[in-house]
Amino acid sequence: MSGMQRISPAVSLTGQVTSMIRAAIVSGEMKPNEHYSSVGIAEKLGVSRTPVREALQLLEKEGILTVEKNRGVRVTQISLNDIVEVFQIRLILEPPAAGRAVLNATPADIERLEELYVDLVKAAEGGQARPTLEADKAFHLYFLGLADNAKLGSIVGELRNLVLTHGQITIPHARTSMDLADDRNELMEAIRKHNAEGAVRAMHGHVLRTARMLVQSVCARTPGLEAECYLGRLNHLQI
């Protein structure tokens, strides 16, 4: 777990630990079905076991880790079926939320989204997956937060984490960092024009394209898996 850097105590120590463990899983340093001890993680991060235990409990609730008595914790292996079900839920929830978010957006909100969009493009120009995904997440969750439904934001955040934390990402397997940034252009145009219907279409298209790329990428790397049956379960949710 070399990517687990020692951290300094801060306001939300548990949050920092949670982010570090997520990063270790995304990078592949913590691998599915291998066991890790909370003591070992705490030593790597230079913190006590309490924030580590709290972080592990949070990640277990999200389905990312499994805590096993007397054996430590292990990263849960996510299946392609799980990925499809996550995106089915996202396709149902996020497009209508995008329409409402555009209607609720104030000039200050749009200005902030422009800033986050610029951050995304700058990260993408660097060509690195993780900064691009983090910038995209910040843009995405801020925008959906304008739908004025905290529970929706929490659910979407957990669904994204469930997939991303298991290393199931489209960059660089299916698209470049700039491809991801460019995929936000249609939504950004709808936001600028206060076009709710356009935002619904753009959000649906973005989520569906990401889902298709992930399914095809996983199947291409896994002998015996055929993409068509999984894609069919997504296609019937088209608008």
Side-chain angles (χ1 to χ4, degrees):
M1 292 183 289
S2 60
M4 279 193 173
Q5 304 170 12
R6 295 176 70 87
I7 57 180
S8 301
V11 175
S12 179
L13 190 55
T14 297
Q16 289 186 75
V17 173
T18 303
S19 296
M20 283 294 199
I21 295 174
R22 278 205 184 101
I25 297 172
V26 170
S27 69
E29 294 170 25
M30 291 181 68
K31 303 180 185 302
N33 298 322
E34 291 188 13
H35 288 84
Y36 301 89
S37 72
S38 59
V39 174
I41 295 172
E43 289 177 351
K44 283 283 185 182
L45 297 177
V47 297
S48 70
R49 281 179 284 177
T50 299
V52 172
R53 285 198 299 265
E54 292 172 349
L56 294 177
Q57 289 170 356
L58 289 172
L59 293 170
E60 185 177 37
K61 287 180 181 179
E62 294 180 13
I64 293 168
L65 292 173
T66 300
V67 179
E68 299 179 348
K69 188 175 181 180
N70 299 324
R71 298 194 69 190
V73 299
R74 63 180 174 83
V75 178
T76 307
Q77 180 70 59
I78 190 171
S79 70
L80 189 52
N81 185 66
D82 293 329
I83 293 172
V84 170
E85 289 185 352
V86 163
F87 278 96
Q88 284 177 324
I89 296 170
R90 290 187 59 186
L91 284 166
I92 291 169
L93 294 179
E94 294 184 43
R100 183 172 182 180
V102 164
L103 294 177
N104 289 345
T106 65
D109 291 325
I110 295 175
E111 182 177 353
R112 178 57 182 152
L113 286 167
E114 292 279 13
E115 293 172 351
L116 291 171
Y117 178 68
V118 170
D119 290 343
L120 171 57
V121 172
K122 288 181 178 178
E125 289 173 344
Q128 297 297 312
R130 185 176 170 188
T132 304
L133 290 167
E134 288 297 323
D136 183 67
K137 178 181 178 181
F139 173 88
H140 192 86
L141 295 183
Y142 183 91
F143 175 61
L144 287 184
L146 300 180
D148 197 26
N149 188 313
K151 290 188 181 300
L152 180 138
S154 176
I155 290 170
V156 170
E158 289 186 9
L159 291 174
R160 285 173 60 95
N161 285 336
L162 183 60
V163 174
L164 293 176
T165 307
H166 284 82
Q168 300 298 341
I169 55 179
T170 56
I171 305 170
H173 304 296
R175 58 181 168 183
T176 67
S177 296
M178 282 308 304
D179 288 336
L180 174 57
D182 289 342
D183 200 39
R184 291 299 193 177
N185 290 343
E186 183 182 358
L187 178 58
M188 199 63 233
E189 283 302 309
I191 292 169
R192 291 172 181 136
K193 296 177 181 178
H194 288 278
N195 182 349
E197 290 184 6
V200 171
R201 290 193 300 271
M203 181 63 78
H204 186 275
H206 171 76
V207 174
L208 184 59
R209 281 189 293 274
T210 301
R212 285 173 173 167
M213 287 180 188
L214 272 178
V215 168
Q216 291 168 340
S217 179
V218 171
C219 288
R221 303 194 308 271
T222 311
L225 278 183
E226 298 292 337
E228 291 308 314
C229 62
Y230 295 100
L231 294 174
R233 294 167 59 190
L234 297 167
N235 291 339
H236 77 275
L237 293 172
Q238 294 190 65
I239 58 175

